Amino acid sequence: MLTNNNEYLNFVNGKWQPSRSGSTIEVFNPANRDEVVGRVQASNLEDLEEAVAIAKETLQIWKNISSVDRGNFLHKTADILEERADEIAEIATKEMGKIFRDTKGEVLRGVAILRYYAQEGMRQMGEVLPSSHKSNLLITKRVPVGVVGIISPWNFPIAIPIWKMAPALIYGNTIVFKPASETGITAAKIIQAFHDAGFPAGVVNLVNGRGSVIGQGLSDHPDVQAISFTGSNSVGNQVAASALKHGAKFQLEMGGKNPVIIMDDADLEHAAELTVQGAMKQTGQRCTATSRAYIHESIYDEFKKIVLQKASLLKVGNGFDQNVDFGPLASKQQMNTVVGYIEKGLEEGATLLCGGESLKGDLEKGYFVPPTIFENVTQDMTIAKEEIFGPVLALMKINSIEEAIEMANDTKYGLSASIFTNDITRAFTFINDIETGLVQINGETGGAEPQAPFGGMKDSSSQSREQGQAAKEFYTTMKTITITPVPSNG
Ligand code: SIN
């Protein structure tokens, strides 16, 4: 049983169960702060202890199932998720506000990730190396790391946990999953799909709870051999420090302050469309969202006009309304942070071109902020430096590709960046000199494909990459095996 009176339970050792704490966390609809969507467990360390112990015990069973068979469990999960796409998307929209079209797209993205990693069970898991001893066989074999802790954020409540869980499972690890409490119900629905696909009890475990208790406990736990985290830099640094203390592997995906450069030869309609989409889609709550636009001064006024016109057409509202382009911010805290940044922008002297205020009327009950665009922004302003995680874009002028790249790189972050140009030489200069893990030519800063590595440079990540073949590095460790034939006596 997934739920008891709209109270969503933890999933440990193949069973749904309440926390020993007897407490729950309420999940609110950010489009209507009076609506309680449900409650998730406010678990304690004893709950976590049980989940880690069972994941450790089950490791022996799971890693000894062939990877082809493990892949079949993932295939089955993908089929179930696909069948339940509407149901899961609906709950995700209610929990964190993203429009239904996008949450459904996210479920289908999760399905594609599961299918990609299911196939991985049939691919190479080691190499044959030349040996200096001619009769020896020198090989490597990839083996699971062990119990993996997964800490996922609320902004992609379906795709991000799945892009961590699918590779962890196919390579033979067992899991303890702690989702963001804001999206703990969506997490329970995902776990139900894994359960219904027939995964052996104890392989996949879900423990809902506060980050300061369960996230911290998971990072500290000596039996957790690897921890994959997506979220803020401050929490990521704590996860890393805890993991290091007991020698666990860690993988961190954190913030971004993603720039776009629009050169004078760019297709301005296309560049403006993708700049606005990049900044405003999903209410700007993507670590890959566009937040700074460096525009060649010769086309600045024209580009600004098109951007403002496109932004004015965006409709903000409840994610279930089909005409809406983006929904509310995910929580009150998130709205206060974004509004705080907008106020800071004004205080520090930036010029507000559109948006800025929280919305009134029908939308007053939710955490709605309209598309907000500033100009006259300088590099030292807070809105040019810090990650906002809201629908806020800063326009700045540049007069050369060199200046644009220097300004784009002038940040502690290094996740994603894009240039709009038709000049191949400028595109190559950008590819060579931009300091980000994701590089786009004439494309939006957001988005990731399951088969391609995803991650950032500088403070955006722990330099590790997720998805694609890169995930194998993190979720496996390696044995080097030498087979020496015994000389025959006869
Ligand atoms: C993210 O930005 O948080 C995830 C990747 C994306 O789809 O842009």
Side-chain angles (χ1 to χ4, degrees):
M1 187 183 49
L2 174 79
T3 171
N4 180 11
N5 249 344
N6 222 16
E7 181 182 315
Y8 288 79
L9 306 177
N10 286 338
F11 186 74
V12 179
N13 198 14
K15 292 187 291 288
W16 293 101
Q17 60 186 46
S19 162
R20 290 163 177 81
S21 72
S23 321
T24 54
I25 302 170
E26 282 187 322
V27 178
F28 291 94
N29 181 347
N32 174 5
R33 68 191 89 194
D34 296 337
E35 184 188 334
V36 176
V37 184
R39 292 183 305 282
V40 296
Q41 303 304 301
S43 307
N44 61 22
L45 289 178
E46 275 179 73
D47 301 317
L48 180 66
E49 199 54 52
E50 184 193 4
V52 173
I54 194 68
K56 187 178 174 191
E57 202 180 304
T58 317
L59 188 63
Q60 295 312 316
I61 301 169
W62 184 241
K63 73 179 189 186
N64 287 314
I65 291 177
S66 83
S67 59
V68 176
D69 288 340
R70 292 198 296 257
N72 290 333
F73 287 109
L74 291 186
H75 272 305
K76 188 91 198 353
T77 311
D79 294 345
I80 295 170
L81 272 185
E82 197 168 33
E83 277 163 29
R84 297 180 190 166
D86 282 352
E87 179 198 336
I88 297 173
E90 198 172 302
I91 200 74
T93 292
K94 275 195 187 162
E95 279 190 305
M96 58 74 68
K98 196 185 312 196
I99 60 171
F100 181 75
R101 220 173 30 250
D102 286 347
T103 46
K104 184 151 177 192
E106 211 191 313
V107 181
L108 300 179
R109 184 170 169 184
V111 169
I113 295 166
L114 283 160
R115 292 196 173 130
Y116 173 82
Y117 283 107
Q119 291 297 323
E120 190 62 8
M122 292 189 178
R123 296 196 193 106
Q124 186 185 345
M125 287 297 285
E127 289 179 313
V128 179
L129 301 163
S131 167
S132 48
H133 303 279
K134 74 176 171 44
S135 313
N136 284 5
L137 180 60
L138 183 57
I139 57 174
T140 61
K141 179 176 159 68
R142 287 195 176 266
V143 295
V145 184
V147 176
V148 173
I150 289 174
I151 305 178
S152 68
W154 48 259
N155 68 327
F156 280 89
I158 305 150
I160 292 182
I162 291 177
W163 87 42
K164 295 176 188 298
M165 289 198 276
L169 292 167
I170 195 67
Y171 299 128
N173 304 283
T174 54
I175 287 172
V176 178
F177 169 33
K178 186 249 166 293
S181 314
E182 290 86 344
T183 50
I185 303 176
T186 304
K189 298 263 180 194
I190 294 171
I191 293 301
Q192 180 74 53
F194 279 86
H195 180 44
D196 294 345
F199 273 82
V203 173
V204 177
N205 304 282
L206 167 76
V207 183
N208 261 302
R210 311 221 177 261
S212 55
V213 180
I214 303 303
Q216 186 63 52
L218 203 48
S219 316
D220 284 336
H221 204 293
D223 290 336
V224 174
Q225 277 90 17
I227 188 126
S228 180
F229 167 86
T230 300
S232 70
N233 282 68
S234 55
V235 177
N237 292 337
Q238 284 172 36
V239 167
S242 302
L244 268 175
K245 274 195 207 140
H246 63 98
K249 279 177 114 171
F250 60 90
Q251 175 184 65
L252 314 173
E253 285 306 330
M254 301 175 287
K257 190 71 194 164
N258 312 295
V260 294
I261 295 173
I262 298 99
M263 295 307 297
D264 47 0
D265 61 299
D267 175 331
L268 294 193
E269 270 294 321
H270 175 75
E273 178 63 30
L274 295 191
T275 301
V276 171
Q277 287 294 328
M280 309 303 169
K281 205 165 153 187
Q282 289 189 205
T283 328
Q285 297 175 117
R286 298 185 296 165
C287 44
T288 52
T290 305
S291 69
R292 299 175 288 151
Y294 295 102
I295 305 143
H296 197 276
E297 57 190 4
S298 64
I299 45 110
Y300 182 88
D301 289 337
E302 196 187 343
F303 183 77
K304 176 174 111 179
K305 197 168 114 206
I306 310 174
V307 160
L308 289 177
Q309 203 246 342
K310 287 187 184 295
S312 72
L313 297 177
L314 291 178
K315 193 163 180 295
V316 185
N318 190 305
F320 289 106
D321 177 344
Q322 289 201 348
N323 302 316
V324 154
D325 296 290
F326 67 82
L329 290 157
S331 63
K332 185 172 184 188
Q333 186 194 348
Q334 195 55 26
M335 187 169 89
N336 290 343
T337 306
V338 172
V339 170
Y341 276 117
I342 294 171
E343 284 166 5
K344 197 93 187 144
L346 290 169
E347 246 170 70
E348 292 179 1
T351 309
L352 187 64
L353 295 172
C354 68
E357 75 291 353
S358 47
L359 292 172
K360 301 279 177 267
D362 286 354
L363 300 182
E364 214 160 338
K365 282 196 162 181
Y367 306 121
F368 294 96
V369 171
T372 298
I373 303 180
F374 282 101
E375 70 172 350
N376 295 323
V377 178
T378 54
Q379 289 287 96
D380 57 345
M381 286 183 187
T382 310
I383 57 166
K385 288 202 299 206
E386 292 182 18
E387 183 179 46
I388 298 175
F389 230 59
V392 182
L393 175 67
L395 306 184
M396 288 174 267
K397 287 184 190 165
I398 46 96
N399 59 36
S400 67
I401 175 87
E402 290 77 18
E403 186 193 18
I405 293 176
E406 195 184 321
M407 288 171 82
N409 282 339
D410 177 21
T411 168
K412 62 180 182 169
Y413 294 112
L415 184 53
S416 183
S418 176
I419 189 168
F420 291 92
T421 181
N422 284 316
D423 180 329
I424 190 81
T425 309
R426 284 169 164 173
F428 272 102
T429 304
F430 182 74
I431 293 168
N432 287 333
D433 296 342
I434 195 74
E435 294 165 357
T436 56
L438 306 170
V439 180
Q440 296 278 354
I441 311 298
N442 294 318
E444 202 225 282
T445 49
E449 296 197 46
Q451 69 279 16
F454 177 87
M457 294 180 177
K458 303 197 239 174
D459 286 3
S460 285
S461 90
S462 52
Q463 310 305 330
S464 44
R465 294 290 179 269
E466 299 195 86
Q467 302 198 79
Q469 290 299 299
K472 199 189 268 183
E473 286 300 322
F474 183 70
Y475 292 106
T476 63
T477 184
M478 222 185 299
K479 288 184 178 173
T480 303
I481 303 156
T482 309
I483 304 173
T484 308
V486 180
S488 73
N489 291 330

